[in-house]
Amino acid sequence: MNGDQHNTVRRFDHPGEGIRRAKPAPKGRQLDPKAMEEIETLLGDRSRQRDLLIEHLHLIQDAYHQISAAHLAALADAMRLSFAEVFETATFYAHFDVVKDGEPSIPPLTIRVCDSLTCALFGAEKLLHAVKAGAGPQVRVVRAPCVGRCDTAPVAEVGHSFVDHATPAAVLEAAESGHIHPDVPNYADYAAYVAKGGYKLLDRVRSGALPVETLLQALDGASLRGLGGAGFPTARKWRSVLGEPGPRLMAVNGDEGEPGTFKDRFYLESDPHRFLEGMLIGAHVVEASDVYIYLRDEYPASRIILEREIAKLPPGGPVIHLRRGAGAYICGEESSMLESLEGKRGLPRHKPPFPFQIGLFNRATLINNIETLFWVRDIVEKGPDWWTSHGRNDRKGLRSYSVSGRVKSPGVKLAPAGVTIRELIDEFCGGMADGHTLRAYLPGGASGGILPASMDDIPLDFGTLEKYGCFIGSAAVIVLSQEDDIKAAALNLMRFFEDESCGQCTPCRSGTQKAAELMEKADWSQDLLTELSQVMRDASICGLGQAASNPLMTVIKFFPEEFATRGAAQ
């Protein structure tokens, strides 16, 4: 400024003179004393460490059936976190009912009606509307994605109790009776498992009687691969983690949220210690000090079983942490699971680095699926030749197929790897349901594509389906008949991916939304949908967006009759 301008500036002889001061007032959200007392009572002597945020949110949700803004603020204060951190985490997960200031309270009981594909085939939409119409004011009725009980479709969850083969009357009766807690099925407990030789293999490994390399050679000889969907060779993964600098951790992926999949629940609810022994062997091999089991929230009975049985394990070995998911399909992706285990939103990480290098809490981490670990004991004790003696159509090993849809006997079917859909239906499922003929099938759950009945001779295993735009994934097989609308099935799956997209990347977030809008039209714009699908495949961060269009593209490719009457809109 020039001299004249400088002379016009007023000077103040005392600090603050001439400044108009507002009356002092506290900034930011104020803590509610009652909410603070309630949070302190809930937490008790539990640790306030950052990675327990989701566990503590579950405490609030379970106690109050919702999470108020006042409770969020009090929890943030107790854990020395910002309100924004706690709020963004709580609102990311579907099972946390966050009530903002000024919003009405949520009814004390929630009924969730599954509307994923298999339940949709068996009348989920009618069930949802009928239950809504019959429910009282103290009950909230909402849609829910797959709850992992596809073999008993349609399914409703009343509180934390499930109504299988649900009818409106049965669901409303359960709600009225107060039967809202899970039923725990009969299973082989610790004593029964030990009585049949359980944990002897673990003892041999820990004592050195069975060298680690010998064990790894057995897994190599069996060609055991990850059975959660990725199919990575198990022994190679264990060696890779062991080759990284310590200290190391282990994380178990029990978040099987793929529509049509329920095999992990089946094994946890029947023979949990076979999984636990495999887990402890893996932890010993990679010298993991701690093991984190991430179990989906839709499996409350499995969680009760694991809590009971882990407590019975003898002292020694790694520290086992059982962590609870909160209704986010994306957390089945391994890096999203790690973020959730750290108490954050389940946003996929960019790779590299890979989790075996920098994983949970920035430490080298072994990640395995529940079923993969379930088979470790049998393969090592019986030998790799026992495992490879099974198989069909030039494939080797066993697969646990979760079968649902239009078959007489749905459920988990332990069958030779490489079995075809016709063999699976006829030999293991009692044939097609009465009055139904095979029209189409999903070989690998929601993201595994849809194939016509004319392609019923393809071996169902790793590496056999990719050339058709499909994959086996976790072997979730959904069978469709002449009674089912193929395009409607594909739309149901796309809506699932739209709802479950974490929103981090535009190709997936916007792509699934736009694809669902286009698929709602009577005439599909095949060229536009194909172009959109390619963008999603090429540019999405993780497998959700990359595979979301598989059902769409296989319908376009293999079901030309769906487009013959009107022709595809261009």
Side-chain angles (χ1 to χ4, degrees), residues 347-485:
L347 301 179
R349 297 176 180 177
H350 292 274
K351 303 173 186 177
F354 296 95
F356 80 88
Q357 301 167 311
I358 300 178
L360 188 60
F361 308 123
N362 293 319
R363 291 163 64 173
T365 304
L366 172 63
I367 301 176
N368 278 131
N369 161 263
I370 285 173
E371 193 202 351
T372 307
L373 299 169
F374 182 90
W375 290 114
V376 169
R377 175 190 167 190
D378 282 331
I379 288 173
V380 177
E381 287 186 344
K382 298 178 181 179
D385 289 344
W386 164 78
W387 182 262
T388 57
S389 67
H390 301 280
R392 291 189 187 176
N393 302 307
D394 298 323
R395 315 304 296 180
K396 294 182 179 180
L398 291 167
R399 291 302 303 264
S400 302
Y401 297 93
S402 302
V403 186
S404 63
R406 307 300 191 176
V407 294
K408 284 184 179 177
S409 175
V412 175
K413 309 297 178 181
L414 185 61
V419 69
T420 67
I421 188 64
R422 281 291 181 187
E423 293 168 336
L424 185 63
I425 293 172
D426 293 342
E427 298 178 34
F428 297 89
C429 300
M432 293 291 293
D434 291 340
H436 293 267
T437 57
L438 178 64
R439 185 187 179 196
Y441 65 101
L442 284 71
S447 54
I450 304 177
L451 293 173
S454 59
M455 300 173 67
D456 62 356
D457 58 348
I458 303 171
L460 300 179
D461 197 17
F462 294 115
T464 61
L465 295 155
E466 284 76 1
K467 63 183 178 180
Y468 305 109
C470 301
F471 54 76
I472 188 67
S474 58
V477 179
I478 303 176
V479 179
L480 308 180
S481 77
Q482 81 282 0
E483 298 293 328
D484 302 316
D485 185 331

Side-chain angles (χ1 to χ4, degrees), residues 98-143:
V98 177
V99 178
K100 302 174 185 177
D101 290 335
E103 291 184 342
S105 293
I106 293 172
L109 178 62
T110 293
I111 297 175
R112 290 183 166 89
V113 178
C114 176
D115 69 350
S116 289
L117 182 55
T118 305
C119 283
L121 298 180
F122 288 89
E125 194 69 23
K126 290 182 178 179
L127 176 65
L128 175 69
H129 291 299
V131 173
K132 277 187 175 181
Q138 296 301 303
V139 178
R140 179 181 63 149
V141 183
V142 298
R143 297 176 182 272

Side-chain angles (χ1 to χ4, degrees), residues 230-289:
F232 194 85
T234 302
R236 189 193 306 175
K237 178 182 284 190
W238 290 17
R239 287 192 176 97
S240 297
V241 175
L242 188 58
E244 294 295 316
R248 307 177 194 91
L249 298 172
M250 182 176 184
V252 178
N253 192 338
D255 195 61
E256 61 168 359
E258 183 82 5
T261 311
F262 46 91
K263 60 185 179 59
D264 288 352
R265 178 182 62 81
F266 172 80
Y267 287 122
L268 288 176
E269 293 182 358
S270 57
D271 198 359
H273 284 280
R274 198 169 298 269
F275 148 68
L276 288 172
E277 183 171 12
M279 178 191 78
L280 292 172
I281 289 171
H284 177 83
V285 168
V286 302
E287 301 170 5
S289 60

Side-chain angles (χ1 to χ4, degrees), residues 491 494 498 511-521 529:
L491 175 57
M494 187 59 73
E498 178 189 3
T512 52
Q513 179 184 17
K514 184 62 177 177
E517 290 177 359
L518 292 170
M519 294 167 70
E520 288 171 355
K521 298 180 179 180
L529 283 167

